[in-house]
Amino acid sequence: DGVLANAFRSMASNTSLDRKWIVFDGPVDAIWIENMNTVLDDNKKLCLMSGEIIQMTPQMNMLFEPADLEQASPATVSRCGMIYMEPRQLSWIPLKDSYLESLPSSITEDQMEILLEIFDWLLPPCFEFIRNECKRFVITSELHLFKSISRIYSCMLRGPKGNEDQGPQSTVWLQISFLFSIIWGMASTLIQDSRAKFDTFYRQLIIGNNKNYPRPKNFKLTKNQLFSDKGSCFDYVCDKRNNQWQLWLNAIDREHASISPYAKVNDLIIPTDETSRQTYFLRMFTNNDIPFMFVGPTGTGKSAITNNFIMSAPRDRFVANVINFSARTTANQTQDIVMSKLDRRKKGLYG
């Protein structure tokens, strides 16, 4: 059985009255969508190759989310209700609303009100500035940029070990960490010249010098609680222990920065601002089970720093699997490489 048959069967056999959704995100292909005709018509039955027939329950819903209907037949189109949404109409605002609702219950009502004001104050002008004034080396939609911001923000609330989001949060930390999340969630893909432009714009916006987006009354961070005037906003990281900003090099855990006396010269990685940033995000995302990608020119140490981190990761939590890709690597080859590292325990179960 494939993914759909398993999901469909588990939902059909679930007796709870909660509404259940199966979402198909991707292109509608004429070959597989024709097999869904019996599900989409009045019978609402999924017929499998084995002869098994699964009845859809009244609580089940199916949602197809394709980019277009070029490959869909009239039979498919006539069986579904169609809603056309332009990306511009949807924007990132529904994502923001659902994200705020998903924040931990330890955040008080007063803190939530402050957060709502800050989101509405900072995000629109930053999106507008990046869209109109900046160049990026990876073009990313606003929906994905907001997703990056929200992931980093959730990690900041959980703390470095990924388990601190259930306790009470300091109001100062909620604001400081959101400023940091915007810098790295939204502006991390800007080229160097555009980073300098964004730094100037962002500083003016935060201190209240932007007439179109005035600083809200509830935002009460003092000058000492903002990043320093020296250098760029990209040079600083916020620390949850004291609600202060510090340079990246100072933020490295000295235990991880120390060099073994037995290390080979070829394997040495000398800490710099760039290596500190990469190690910081590596540790933060792996502790919070978030997938991520480093993008940049060749020869800048992306693989070396990542491999160094992977080799020092605790063996009881992580198993490393390093795969090199080229332009000719296929999906099947990738799956074979992954599967070759696993042991088959029993049918459908690998370890």
Side-chain angles (χ1 to χ4, degrees), residues 158-263:
R158 292 188 197 120
K161 293 182 180 173
N163 58 2
E164 298 174 18
D165 58 334
Q166 299 309 316
Q169 299 279 353
S170 140
T171 304
V172 172
W173 177 249
L174 288 174
Q175 297 172 80
I176 286 178
S177 55
F178 186 63
L179 297 182
F180 177 82
S181 302
I182 287 184
I183 296 170
W184 289 101
M186 191 185 290
S188 58
T189 57
L190 300 182
I191 63 171
Q192 201 62 39
D193 291 348
S194 293
R195 280 194 179 192
K197 284 186 192 173
F198 180 81
D199 173 54
T200 306
F201 167 80
Y202 196 48
R203 287 175 185 277
Q204 293 301 311
L205 179 64
I206 289 170
I207 61 177
N209 286 352
N210 190 317
K211 293 177 184 175
N212 296 328
Y213 295 94
R215 183 169 161 153
K217 291 177 184 174
N218 281 333
F219 183 76
K220 294 187 174 136
L221 292 184
T222 62
K223 189 175 181 185
N224 292 335
Q225 291 166 330
L226 298 174
F227 33 81
S228 168
D229 294 337
K230 295 176 183 173
S232 151
C233 62
F234 294 92
D235 296 335
Y236 296 92
V237 58
C238 46
D239 190 338
K240 192 169 188 178
R241 290 169 294 191
N242 54 15
N243 290 338
Q244 295 293 322
W245 296 82
Q246 55 184 334
L247 291 166
W248 282 102
L249 263 177
N250 300 340
I252 301 179
D253 187 344
R254 291 295 160 208
E255 175 194 341
H256 294 284
S258 60
I259 295 170
S260 163
Y262 307 107

Side-chain angles (χ1 to χ4, degrees), residues 144-174:
H144 288 96
L145 289 178
F146 180 82
K147 193 68 183 168
S148 292
I149 294 167
S150 62
R151 280 179 160 177
I152 293 176
Y153 192 52
S154 294
C155 291
M156 301 300 283
L157 297 186
R158 292 188 197 120
K161 293 182 180 173
N163 58 2
E164 298 174 18
D165 58 334
Q166 299 309 316
Q169 299 279 353
S170 140
T171 304
V172 172
W173 177 249
L174 288 174

Side-chain angles (χ1 to χ4, degrees), residues 63-315:
L63 189 67
F64 299 88
E65 201 174 345
D68 54 57
L69 294 172
E70 284 180 13
Q71 303 298 321
S73 67
T76 304
V77 174
S78 62
R79 283 173 163 85
C80 299
M82 295 289 162
I83 302 173
Y84 175 65
M85 296 290 289
E86 280 194 73
R88 283 201 309 278
Q89 287 176 311
L90 189 62
S91 83
W92 51 271
I93 293 171
L95 279 182
K96 177 205 74 173
D97 295 339
S98 66
Y99 175 68
L100 286 172
E101 286 179 16
S102 72
L103 286 174
S105 55
S106 56
I107 294 176
T108 66
E109 281 186 26
D110 290 345
Q111 289 176 329
M112 192 61 82
E113 195 176 316
I114 293 171
L115 278 181
L116 191 58
E117 277 193 6
I118 295 174
F119 271 64
D120 291 340
W121 165 47
L122 291 176
L123 290 176
C126 288
F127 275 129
E128 187 181 321
F129 184 80
I130 284 179
R131 187 170 58 243
N132 299 330
E133 306 289 336
C134 298
K135 285 186 179 178
R136 293 170 277 178
F137 54 81
V138 177
I139 302 300
T140 317
S141 73
E142 291 183 357
L143 298 178
H144 288 96
L145 289 178
F146 180 82
K147 193 68 183 168
S148 292
I149 294 167
S150 62
R151 280 179 160 177
I152 293 176
Y153 192 52
S154 294
C155 291
M156 301 300 283
L157 297 186
R158 292 188 197 120
K161 293 182 180 173
N163 58 2
E164 298 174 18
D165 58 334
Q166 299 309 316
Q169 299 279 353
S170 140
T171 304
V172 172
W173 177 249
L174 288 174
Q175 297 172 80
I176 286 178
S177 55
F178 186 63
L179 297 182
F180 177 82
S181 302
I182 287 184
I183 296 170
W184 289 101
M186 191 185 290
S188 58
T189 57
L190 300 182
I191 63 171
Q192 201 62 39
D193 291 348
S194 293
R195 280 194 179 192
K197 284 186 192 173
F198 180 81
D199 173 54
T200 306
F201 167 80
Y202 196 48
R203 287 175 185 277
Q204 293 301 311
L205 179 64
I206 289 170
I207 61 177
N209 286 352
N210 190 317
K211 293 177 184 175
N212 296 328
Y213 295 94
R215 183 169 161 153
K217 291 177 184 174
N218 281 333
F219 183 76
K220 294 187 174 136
L221 292 184
T222 62
K223 189 175 181 185
N224 292 335
Q225 291 166 330
L226 298 174
F227 33 81
S228 168
D229 294 337
K230 295 176 183 173
S232 151
C233 62
F234 294 92
D235 296 335
Y236 296 92
V237 58
C238 46
D239 190 338
K240 192 169 188 178
R241 290 169 294 191
N242 54 15
N243 290 338
Q244 295 293 322
W245 296 82
Q246 55 184 334
L247 291 166
W248 282 102
L249 263 177
N250 300 340
I252 301 179
D253 187 344
R254 291 295 160 208
E255 175 194 341
H256 294 284
S258 60
I259 295 170
S260 163
Y262 307 107
K264 295 176 185 172
V265 175
N266 300 350
D267 299 336
L268 287 182
I269 294 179
I270 307 301
T272 65
D273 279 349
E274 287 295 339
T275 63
S276 306
R277 285 174 202 161
Q278 192 167 331
T279 307
Y280 177 88
F281 286 113
L282 272 165
R283 190 171 294 130
M284 180 168 82
F285 289 143
T286 48
N287 284 340
N288 287 282
D289 300 328
I290 289 178
F292 54 98
M293 179 168 69
F294 288 116
V295 182
T298 52
T300 50
K302 300 183 299 297
S303 302
I305 296 166
T306 303
N307 288 337
N308 183 60
F309 175 83
I310 286 172
M311 295 312 160
S312 62
R315 289 283 177 268

